[in-house]
Amino acid sequence: MGRPYFCYNHSTMDFLDKLNPAQKSAVTAGDGPVLVLAGPGSGKTRVLTQRIAYLIGYEGVRPYQMLAVTFTNKAAREMEHRVQQLLGEEMTRGLLLGTFHSTCARILRRESERLPVSGDFVIFDADDQLSVVKSALKELNLSDKLYRPVAVHAAISRAKNELIGPADFPITTYRDEAVKRIYKRYQELLQASNGVDFDDLLLMTTNLLADNPDVREKYAQRFRHVLVDEFQDTNIAQYNLIKHLSSAHHNVFCVGDPDQSVYRWRGADYRNVLRFEEDHPGCQTILLEQNYRSRQTILDAAMAVIDRNPRRKRKQLFSDLGKGEKIVFYEANDDYSEASFVIDTIAQLVASRQFEPGDCAVMYRTNAMSRLLEETFLQARLPYRLVGAQRFYGRREVKDIIAFLRLVQNKDDDISLGRIINVPPRGIGEKTVLALRLAAQTAQMTSGDILLDLARGSDSPFFAQFAGRAALPLADFGGLLSAWHSFAATATISELFDRIAQDIHYKDHLDDGTEEGKEHWENVVELHRLADEYETRPLTEFLENVALISDQDTISEGNVPTLLTLHAAKGLEFGVVFIVGLDDGILPHSRSFDEPEEMEEERRLFYVGITRAKERLYLLRAMRRGGRGYAEETIESRFLGDVPAELVSGQGRAGKRNSGFGSASSKSTWTLPSPSRPAQIIEQKFRAGIRVSHPSWGEGIVLDSRAQDGDEIVDVVFNSVGIKRLAASLAHLSVLK
């Protein structure tokens, strides 16, 4: 051990003694390449920050001789804060700690004389980048319908992350040839504006170091130690960047967990962990296997799931927190019952004071699955927080379809008309819309009336009031609107929904081949499922209910349950976790069925969800999905079969216990009650209108009471906290005389 660079104060002097043996081995590892494979909840951030403190405080490494990189500004701030707590701000001065992109930007500005841009280059954001792609398409006279700007930009981004420039862009199809030309022009336009995009920061820095040995040597000599957080999420460009920066001293310290690599669609390559070991033979590999978050039952289930993935170094996760409760499996009759089970269970856990609302999280594979959960929370008048996405009814594509339906229902709805008159783009710009509204005002009519009349083409007296380039698209849209009005007179909502989507080619507009595009279309499909439930009901009722459900005023912050996707859950933890939608086609997603690597990532995603739970884990699926209209039968997720039966207590759709999942090939073991056995009769003690008292919330009035799942569910409005839904067996309610 070297001479300490400074003297620790009393509070930080013994930090090494508080580490477990594996953590201490990582923090105090000697020089050379070190790979720390950190299981979930094993204290990887603690290890990384204390490694920095150890190198400065015990090994005499100067702060400016170290580089620490991570992926998000939040993670970088957290690391910086922890290091400063250990060392003090003065002793960390000069430490380069930040995201990959901020680190690259700093290097590029210093070395700008070797770049095609000057040192004051601007960094184009996502919207700017799409605008440049559109400009390139226009200049090359390529259709933005055939070459969707979002999809083209995604292809360019993937290429840059793999260190492929325009000249080397691979061509296997005619489309590839076009994208190569767009890529080339895109780069020219960026550089003409003295600009770079986010991917350029990585690509240009990596190429700068690769092509200029003197520059590479300067930075590699400066950084005696390079430390990397979330190493499993690095792409090819980032991997090579790290390799160049650590090429002089070879003191590279990487912390990550390939079992939590779930961003393949964003360029992350978990195989970089394997490459690291191949490129650094004899490197120190340290496993962090002690979990400080979860009960052992949860960890055992997680290991059983992830151990099915090949080509991985196995970790034996263990916890000193005890075995804990068994995992609860619930197989609902349909997706509505699945959502109701979640909300009712949370209400019971909170009413029994086992957990706070904020301890609970509901996780799902795709954003579209939040719709039913959001509605069920709102109908129960329970607040919630949505993380990682807009509310379902706030998503652009959902609002677009609702606007089309509203306009068919009411041709005078100028707000809806303004929203979708040029969706998808049909050549109706702001000036044309202004001219339409002016014509309507002059004629003392609505814009919808003018459009319907313009459907007659040149026979309309209004046709001549618009320039030829404006009149034709207006007349075409008026024709669509007129046809929809006629069709709606006899069609169901689902049929009208289909007709509108087909006429405007909305799927082609949304699904551009990117993950984001597919998810946008999934949201439309989910809205269609809701429309199916209104098969015999009027459009006005559908639109009214949607408007009421989407009221944002009921959404709260604070101590409330969290709804989020499994991707958004990474890095978080909750006392109680519900994972819904455990059906084949949802998790694992249907897009992974023919791709082994995609299937492996789906399994890692399930593993991430399981390991977010600290105390309780609920796994749910629905036998049928699609709402109360046309519902499709589902198949149990193949991942459920990997969870050992002895770890699970389950419930089938009738609420009957079962013993678990069994082998991977087994079917669920729920059974219906025998027809000869009468259903259990619940004696209801409460009725609407009676006054009750609760130990915590005081007096209230019962709004409703019903028998459900062997209990009495009571809705009560309390003076102190508003409306609560309670299970009578757990709530300790007393009737007031």
Side-chain angles (χ1 to χ4, degrees):
M1 186 178 293
R3 184 181 180 85
Y5 174 43
F6 72 98
C7 188
Y8 281 98
N9 63 43
H10 181 72
S11 62
T12 58
M13 209 172 154
D14 59 349
F15 80 89
L16 289 177
D17 296 332
K18 297 178 181 178
L19 300 173
N20 68 40
Q23 290 174 332
K24 190 170 184 178
S25 294
V27 169
T28 61
D31 286 351
V34 179
L35 178 62
V36 180
L37 300 181
S42 62
K44 71 175 181 61
T45 304
R46 184 184 192 188
V47 165
L48 194 60
T49 53
Q50 294 193 7
R51 170 71 172 174
I52 296 171
Y54 173 81
L55 290 172
I56 295 174
Y58 282 87
E59 293 296 331
V61 180
R62 304 296 180 178
Y64 63 82
Q65 295 176 311
M66 302 173 66
L67 168 66
V69 288
T70 187
F71 279 82
T72 66
N73 289 314
K74 180 182 178 182
R77 287 193 299 268
E78 172 67 14
M79 286 171 59
E80 184 177 40
H81 175 69
R82 291 199 190 188
V83 172
Q84 288 180 354
Q85 277 189 319
L86 288 169
L87 302 179
E89 188 173 345
E90 181 65 29
M91 303 313 301
T92 60
R93 198 178 304 279
L95 172 65
L96 187 54
L97 191 160
T99 64
F100 276 96
H101 291 92
S102 65
T103 301
C104 288
R106 188 176 304 189
I107 292 173
L108 291 176
R109 293 195 192 281
R110 289 176 178 171
E111 309 297 335
S112 59
E113 70 277 2
R114 301 175 189 256
L115 304 177
V117 291
S118 63
D120 59 349
F121 60 79
V122 294
I123 301 172
F124 281 33
D125 64 19
D127 289 339
D128 296 332
Q129 293 164 31
L130 280 181
S131 295
V132 177
V133 171
K134 291 173 184 176
S135 296
L137 285 166
K138 192 171 183 180
E139 289 187 20
L140 296 170
N141 198 29
L142 293 170
S143 168
D144 61 3
K145 291 183 175 59
L146 288 175
Y147 302 98
R148 303 283 188 190
V150 172
V152 170
H153 182 264
I156 293 172
S157 178
R158 283 194 299 271
K160 290 184 177 183
N161 287 335
E162 295 175 10
L163 299 176
I164 299 172
D168 301 317
F169 190 86
I171 298 175
T172 56
T173 65
Y174 176 76
R175 178 181 176 79
D176 292 339
E177 192 277 331
V179 172
K180 179 173 183 174
R181 286 190 288 136
I182 299 167
Y183 184 4
K184 180 175 182 293
R185 186 56 187 151
Y186 172 83
Q187 284 301 105
E188 291 170 350
L189 290 172
L190 278 180
Q191 292 169 16
S193 301
N194 195 39
V196 299
D197 63 20
F198 295 123
D199 299 310
D200 279 331
L201 295 173
L202 301 175
L203 175 66
M204 293 173 71
T205 307
T206 304
N207 286 343
L208 171 74
L209 298 175
D211 298 340
N212 298 275
D214 58 325
V215 177
R216 179 176 66 248
E217 187 67 12
K218 178 173 71 173
Y219 287 98
Q221 285 293 346
R222 172 187 166 179
F223 297 127
R224 281 184 55 192
H225 290 269
V226 176
L227 302 97
V228 187
D229 190 20
E230 302 288 5
F231 184 60
Q232 77 281 348
D233 291 335
T234 54
N235 58 35
I236 295 298
Q238 289 159 333
Y239 180 84
N240 280 274
L241 176 68
I242 295 162
K243 196 172 176 180
H244 290 313
L245 291 173
S246 61
S247 59
H249 300 287
H250 303 288
N251 295 326
V252 55
F253 186 90
C254 296
V255 181
D257 183 4
D259 291 335
Q260 295 186 74
S261 179
V262 294
Y263 298 127
R264 186 170 180 263
W265 52 275
R266 221 161 57 184
D269 192 343
Y270 76 97
R271 289 170 298 190
N272 283 342
V273 173
L274 304 177
R275 292 188 182 101
F276 184 89
E277 293 181 299
E278 292 170 359
D279 290 343
H280 301 91
C283 74
Q284 300 179 68
T285 300
I286 300 169
L287 304 182
L288 299 186
E289 298 173 300
Q290 182 168 358
N291 180 285
Y292 293 92
R293 172 193 300 156
S294 305
R295 299 284 190 169
Q296 190 63 49
T297 295
I298 293 169
L299 299 179
D300 289 344
M303 286 185 289
V305 168
I306 201 63
D307 281 346
R308 297 294 297 270
N309 269 358
R311 302 187 301 277
R312 55 178 293 275
K313 188 182 291 290
R314 190 176 189 276
K315 294 185 292 295
Q316 185 62 41
L317 304 179
F318 68 95
S319 171
D320 290 338
L321 300 176
K323 193 175 182 67
E325 300 278 346
K326 282 191 174 185
I327 296 164
V328 175
F329 169 59
Y330 185 76
E331 186 172 51
N333 188 42
D334 58 23
D335 40 6
Y336 276 85
S337 299
E338 179 185 54
S340 295
F341 177 87
V342 170
I343 279 70
D344 290 344
T345 303
I346 291 175
Q348 291 175 20
L349 291 172
V350 173
S352 62
R353 301 186 183 181
Q354 298 177 70
F355 295 94
E356 290 292 317
D359 293 329
C360 303
V362 190
M363 301 177 186
Y364 36 84
R365 175 61 179 84
T366 64
N367 277 313
M369 295 189 70
S370 77
R371 192 269 297 179
L372 200 50
L373 290 161
E374 290 183 72
E375 287 184 14
T376 309
F377 268 100
L378 293 174
Q379 289 164 0
R381 298 177 184 176
L382 294 174
Y384 64 91
R385 178 192 299 110
L386 187 68
V387 173
Q390 285 181 298
R391 295 176 307 106
F392 180 81
Y393 290 101
R395 292 165 192 158
R396 173 177 57 84
E397 56 276 9
V398 172
K399 294 180 74 171
D400 283 351
I401 290 292
I402 291 172
F404 277 108
L405 293 171
R406 284 175 53 179
L407 189 61
V408 173
Q409 173 66 26
N410 174 19
K411 62 179 175 55
D412 299 333
D413 184 349
D414 205 48
I415 300 299
S416 293
L417 176 63
R419 179 180 182 86
I420 49 81
I421 193 170
N422 199 41
V423 175
R426 53 176 61 90
I428 302 177
E430 291 182 8
K431 290 183 179 178
T432 303
V433 173
L434 187 61
L436 173 64
R437 287 177 173 158
L438 183 61
Q441 186 177 3
T442 302
Q444 296 186 323
M445 299 168 66
T446 66
S447 298
D449 288 327
I450 300 291
L451 280 172
L452 290 173
D453 197 80
L454 284 171
R456 299 189 293 136
S458 57
D459 291 338
S460 169
F462 301 106
F463 195 85
Q465 295 183 27
F466 300 94
R469 289 178 59 187
L472 289 174
L474 285 174
D476 288 344
F477 187 69
L480 286 174
L481 187 57
S482 177
W484 295 335
H485 272 289
S486 300
F487 185 70
T490 57
T492 65
I493 300 173
S494 292
E495 290 168 344
L496 177 61
F497 191 119
D498 289 337
R499 173 74 179 269
I500 292 171
Q502 290 167 8
D503 285 351
I504 65 175
H505 305 289
Y506 201 48
K507 186 176 191 299
D508 293 336
H509 172 63
L510 292 178
D511 189 355
D512 52 16
T514 64
E515 289 294 324
E516 186 180 29
K518 291 183 176 70
E519 194 158 284
H520 288 323
W521 180 246
E522 285 175 353
N523 290 331
V524 174
V525 172
E526 181 62 27
L527 183 65
H528 191 285
R529 290 195 184 109
L530 179 62
D532 287 339
E533 298 177 20
Y534 288 75
E535 196 73 14
T536 60
R537 296 149 78 183
L539 178 58
T540 50
E541 186 177 344
F542 173 78
L543 293 173
E544 179 180 314
N545 287 346
V546 165
L548 292 174
I549 287 170
S550 61
D551 183 2
Q552 291 190 55
D553 294 336
T554 58
I555 299 176
S556 304
E557 295 296 323
N559 186 17
V560 296
T562 300
L563 311 184
L564 70 170
T565 65
L566 288 161
H567 281 102
K570 190 172 169 224
L572 303 178
E573 59 182 45
F574 301 92
V576 184
V577 168
F578 299 82
I579 303 179
V580 300
L582 285 167
D583 311 319
D584 255 25
I586 296 179
L587 184 66
H589 199 284
S590 57
R591 293 196 294 269
S592 68
F593 286 177
D594 298 325
E595 291 287 339
E597 287 197 354
E598 293 280 358
M599 183 63 73
E600 290 172 23
E601 179 151 318
E602 293 291 301
R603 187 181 293 278
R604 292 196 293 270
L605 198 56
F606 186 33
Y607 171 81
V608 165
I610 293 172
T611 54
R612 299 311 94 193
K614 297 195 290 186
E615 295 285 340
R616 301 276 186 88
L617 176 63
Y618 293 80
L619 305 178
L620 294 92
R621 69 169 300 259
M623 296 183 63
R624 280 174 285 277
R625 291 191 183 275
R628 292 175 178 139
Y630 174 72
E632 294 181 350
E633 298 284 337
T634 64
I635 299 174
E636 179 182 285
S637 170
R638 65 194 68 186
F639 296 159
L640 284 172
D642 300 330
V643 180
E646 64 271 16
L647 303 179
V648 179
S649 65
Q651 286 186 323
R653 58 178 178 176
K656 186 168 183 177
R657 294 279 172 183
N658 66 56
S659 59
F661 307 117
S663 66
S665 61
S666 69
K667 298 298 182 183
S668 57
T669 57
W670 64 268
T671 57
L672 290 172
S674 169
S676 62
R677 288 185 60 187
Q680 182 181 2
I681 298 174
I682 301 298
E683 180 184 356
Q684 293 183 232
K685 299 177 181 178
F686 305 94
R687 66 179 187 278
I690 68 171
R691 292 172 61 244
V692 296
S693 177
H694 185 272
S696 299
W697 299 323
E699 293 186 10
I701 298 174
V702 175
L703 298 177
D704 186 35
S705 174
R706 65 191 180 281
Q708 180 177 313
D709 293 334
D711 205 340
E712 182 179 5
I713 305 300
V714 189
D715 292 341
V716 184
V717 57
F718 292 97
N719 296 330
S720 59
V721 293
I723 297 173
K724 294 290 183 181
R725 176 166 292 175
L726 308 171
S729 65
L730 300 172
H732 305 294
L733 290 174
S734 56
V735 178
L736 298 175
K737 301 297 184 184

